[in-house]
Amino acid sequence: MKLILTNEVSGLGTPGDVVEVKDGYGRNYLIPRGYAMRWTRGAEKQIESIKKARDAREIRDLGTAKEVAGQLGALRVRLTTRAGDSGRLFGSITTGDIADAVKAAGGPILDRRRIEIVNPIKSVGSHKVSVKLHPEVSASVDVEVVAG
């Protein structure tokens, strides 16, 4: 199935890219969530406008992405959540929780989809989280989880 991406999909491409995927992946995941649209000759013309908008954003964002990465590196993010006696959390810390905590700590507003948690955060302590700000710029944030 041939699709045009409308959002960035990790491991697949960026907005405006034409990709070939399995039918089920496209029909059941990418299209319903708005990450892609079916490829047609008419839609091919929309690719140019998507790419122009993306290029304008990226040129403007490259300098700001480096600036935001510097801010995130100096930021101390602290999350208070419920935990058991052994330090194990009830549930886990999500990317949305981290985005809210960064904003509350005086940092920039982050899109939760850009935050990457390598291992699920299910215990009290200090954890490293990466934020993909730009295709060329990635920042690391220290998140301290405390029982509350």
Side-chain angles (χ1 to χ4, degrees):
M1 171 181 271
K2 213 170 184 182
L3 297 174
I4 300 170
L5 296 178
T6 55
N7 287 331
E8 184 174 342
V9 178
S10 181
L12 197 57
T14 56
D17 289 350
V18 177
V19 294
E20 185 77 32
V21 296
K22 300 265 184 178
D23 291 346
Y25 183 52
R27 190 172 47 248
N28 298 325
Y29 182 76
L30 295 174
I31 293 174
R33 286 180 172 77
Y35 295 150
M37 59 190 211
R38 288 189 182 275
W39 179 89
T40 61
R41 277 188 233 102
E44 182 89 37
K45 293 175 183 159
Q46 290 180 331
I47 292 175
E48 283 303 313
S49 63
I50 291 172
K51 285 190 176 184
K52 281 182 186 175
R54 184 184 76 201
D55 289 342
R57 262 196 323 269
E58 282 185 1
I59 291 169
R60 186 176 59 229
D61 285 346
L62 181 57
T64 14
K66 290 181 180 176
E67 185 180 311
V68 169
Q71 289 176 358
L72 288 174
L75 199 63
R76 286 187 46 91
V77 179
R78 188 181 183 115
L79 269 163
T80 306
T81 186
R82 292 181 47 209
D85 294 333
S86 63
R88 187 166 167 81
L89 302 182
F90 297 126
S92 64
I93 301 295
T94 64
T95 55
D97 296 335
I98 294 170
D100 293 340
V102 167
K103 189 170 119 184
I109 297 171
L110 296 176
D111 182 6
R112 65 177 177 79
R113 293 175 295 228
R114 301 244 178 216
I115 298 172
E116 296 172 350
I117 301 174
V118 179
N119 295 323
I121 300 174
K122 295 185 177 219
S123 63
V124 173
S126 184
H127 302 274
K128 277 224 184 276
V129 175
S130 67
V131 181
K132 191 173 181 185
L133 300 167
H134 187 269
E136 299 171 20
V137 180
S138 184
S140 182
V141 179
D142 286 321
V143 177
E144 185 181 345
V145 181
V146 293

